[in-house]
Amino acid sequence: VAGSVLLAVWWMRGETVAQPDSRATRPSQIARTFVLLLRSREFLGCMLSVAFIFAGLMAYTASAAFLFVDTLGLSPERFGVLAVFNVIGFLAGPLAAGRWKLRVGIASMVIDGTLLALTGGVAMAVIALTGHLGVAAILGPMMVYLAGMGLVMPNAIAGAMACLLEASQPDSLPLE
């Protein structure tokens, strides 16, 4: 199935740029665009949001099995079933983003998602520091974190791509 999808995409893909810029792939132009991006607060904010949110997910992923199986004594099967709560938490963000994005904009969605993820992360830290570990006590804040991640990831990536477009084509629309 994946092979047929790959072939279909390869066969059906076309150039999306109406007037390709032959200078765009020159090393000097690439370097100029890169410098413009590194000077862009919007681009750096979007990319750092993605990086930090993803780092939080990786920290949870790296520790979750140890935490649930070794510390809380869940069977590996029960731990596997708990993954559905992570999916629910993550899906909540993009579902909400689809409804709110047109009203509040990309930047607000990234900020709101970051604040939501921060709330979940702080709650998990408080639970860990107070020693009140339990399945619900860990999963609840993690679902909040993942909902924030679901808001941040697509919007921050879209915002970064808008900055890239703006940096490579100065006459294009800005992020806001």
Side-chain angles (χ1 to χ4, degrees):
V1 173
S4 61
V5 170
L6 177 64
L7 288 174
V9 169
W10 183 264
W11 180 68
M12 294 168 42
R13 70 179 170 85
E15 180 58 62
T16 58
V17 178
Q19 295 291 327
D21 183 0
S22 62
R23 300 170 296 171
T25 57
R26 291 183 184 164
S28 61
Q29 182 64 25
I30 293 171
R32 180 180 120 2
T33 301
F34 187 69
V35 168
L36 285 172
L37 289 174
L38 289 179
R39 290 181 180 167
S40 168
R41 290 179 60 174
E42 292 87 2
F43 179 80
L44 292 176
C46 288
M47 286 296 78
L48 288 173
S49 295
V50 169
F52 287 126
I53 289 282
F54 196 72
L57 175 65
M58 291 300 103
Y60 173 77
T61 301
S63 62
F66 169 77
L67 186 61
F68 285 108
V69 175
D70 293 345
T71 304
L72 297 178
L74 269 63
S75 69
E77 294 81 14
R78 288 195 70 198
F79 169 66
V81 170
L82 294 179
V84 73
F85 293 101
N86 294 333
V87 172
I88 291 168
F90 181 75
L91 284 177
L95 290 174
R99 295 185 176 272
W100 294 339
K101 189 183 323 184
L102 295 176
R103 285 187 285 152
V104 300
I106 289 174
S108 292
M109 295 298 290
V110 172
I111 292 168
D112 293 346
T114 301
L115 291 173
L116 190 60
L118 181 63
T119 301
V122 168
M124 283 188 277
V126 168
I127 289 165
L129 291 173
T130 60
H132 292 82
L133 298 177
V135 173
I138 296 167
L139 283 179
M142 191 59 200
M143 288 176 71
V144 171
Y145 182 88
L146 288 168
M149 181 180 176
L151 288 172
V152 169
M153 295 290 279
N155 288 293
I157 291 170
M161 294 303 293
C163 290
L164 177 60
L165 180 63
E166 184 179 346
S168 64
Q169 299 173 352
D171 59 330
S172 66
L173 296 174
L175 176 62
E176 296 293 327

